Amino acid sequence: MLTSTVCAALSAAGLGIALLTAYRKRFLAATRIAAWSLIPIGLVMTGIIDWVQDLVLKPSVWAGFGVLALSALLFLISRAAGRRTGGGRTERRAAQAASRGGAVEPTGSAPTLGPARTPDRPGTRRRGSTGGDAEDFSDIEAILKKHGI
């Protein structure tokens, strides 16, 4: 009841200011002031003020907000902990299978490099392939030594 009176007084005061502003020939500003001053009484008439008042003054509503906040916090904590441990379902199953000894480590062969080939162009010499792999990597080793690696 008190909030309705306060809102009605605010609207009346705002409309009075709007009338004074319009008297001074500032019609655009008067229209804006009138629009803002009608909001409080409109909220009272629609019942939104009573709903907000009931919402703010009931301890059970605040307890409900607290429970919702706790729930959101627990979701965030579990998500962060799951990311830290890699907690996806497939990762957990793979880890369990590996701990049982059922997983076999894959073995692969070393990559083989064929002999160094140079295009057959006039004026270029072919390298001899007698040195094998050591000759292939000599250029790379020289570049790495040049850069201090």
Side-chain angles (χ1 to χ4, degrees), residues 27-45:
F27 297 111
L28 185 61
T31 305
R32 286 185 187 142
I33 292 170
W36 279 104
S37 66
L38 290 175
I39 290 175
I41 196 68
L43 291 174
V44 168
M45 293 174 77

Side-chain angles (χ1 to χ4, degrees), residues 5-96:
T5 307
V6 170
C7 288
L10 283 174
S11 292
L15 289 173
I17 293 171
L19 286 173
L20 289 174
T21 307
Y23 179 76
R24 294 181 185 160
K25 307 253 189 231
R26 298 181 59 209
F27 297 111
L28 185 61
T31 305
R32 286 185 187 142
I33 292 170
W36 279 104
S37 66
L38 290 175
I39 290 175
I41 196 68
L43 291 174
V44 168
M45 293 174 77
T46 57
I48 292 175
I49 294 294
D50 292 332
W51 177 76
V52 170
Q53 185 178 6
D54 288 341
L55 181 76
V56 170
L57 298 178
K58 285 187 179 177
S60 62
V61 173
W62 286 106
F65 280 126
V67 169
L68 289 174
L70 178 65
S71 174
L73 182 67
L74 290 175
F75 273 124
L76 291 173
I77 289 172
S78 67
R79 189 170 184 181
R83 284 184 180 172
R84 183 173 291 195
T85 60
R89 185 179 295 174
T90 57
E91 289 89 5
R92 286 194 302 264
R93 286 185 181 170
Q96 287 175 355

